[in-house]
Amino acid sequence: MSDFAPSNDPALRVAVIIGSARGGGSGLSVAEWFTGHVGHRTDIDLDVVDVAGLDLPVSMPGWDGLPAPAPGTQAVLADVSPRLAAAEAFVVVTPEYNHSFPASLKNLIDWHYTQWQAKPIGFVSYGGLSGGLRAVEQLRQVFAELHAMTVRDSVSLHGPWSGLGEDGRPLDPAVCEGAAKNMVDQLLWWGRALRTARAEHGM
């Protein structure tokens, strides 16, 4: 799945989700590096969703007969939910906090359900010696429950070898760029296949 023949298919709509809302974190820099590296491709169309800019409460009114969400929450959902629904694939940019992924990312995931179904998910992770891989392994279980399909290859930025410099960019860009290409190629393959499957069979 690492190389693809040219295709006349429409560009795959990919939502890049920045999963950390922690102040002073590297999520935005990592996402900017990733989108800058793959943004020239004509076979994908990127939309960046930053959880730090989404005021979604942890409590979820409107579920199980509870009152509807507050107007402010409804306004946030009116913006982000259609963007997730329109996406045909996702790339999740996540750090690793205490051997897991950020609560802010899980909160966004849990506010939605059908938006993830029958779509591929790729990961760009960062943090310490593990490079966020433990967060990614746990996210694979979460997305499996939501009927999403996570691609095997991921991008892992881990110190001290291919971690982040002071500018938030990878220290070994050649290795990371190769990993990004492989991951996006797999995402594209699955995205096209699942696009066809959803059109023919629904979900």
Side-chain angles (χ1 to χ4, degrees), residues 29 70 117 119 126 160 194:
S29 296
Q117 292 181 347
K119 297 176 184 178
Y126 59 96
L194 290 172

Side-chain angles (χ1 to χ4, degrees), residues 79-100:
D79 173 61
V80 71
S81 299
R83 293 165 65 188
L84 299 181
E88 299 173 294
F90 302 94
V91 172
V92 176
V93 179
T94 182
E96 181 179 310
Y97 296 158
N98 302 317
H99 282 223
S100 189

Side-chain angles (χ1 to χ4, degrees), residues 66-139:
L66 295 175
T73 301
Q74 293 184 43
V76 173
L77 293 172
D79 173 61
V80 71
S81 299
R83 293 165 65 188
L84 299 181
E88 299 173 294
F90 302 94
V91 172
V92 176
V93 179
T94 182
E96 181 179 310
Y97 296 158
N98 302 317
H99 282 223
S100 189
F101 47 83
S104 53
L105 174 58
K106 186 62 160 60
N107 195 41
L108 173 66
I109 294 170
D110 288 347
W111 269 101
H112 299 89
Y113 185 68
T114 58
Q115 291 85 353
W116 313 111
Q117 292 181 347
K119 297 176 184 178
I121 317 274
F123 298 100
V124 177
S125 64
Y126 59 96
L129 291 175
S130 74
L133 290 177
R134 289 173 291 207
V136 168
E137 289 308 305
Q138 293 179 35
L139 282 167

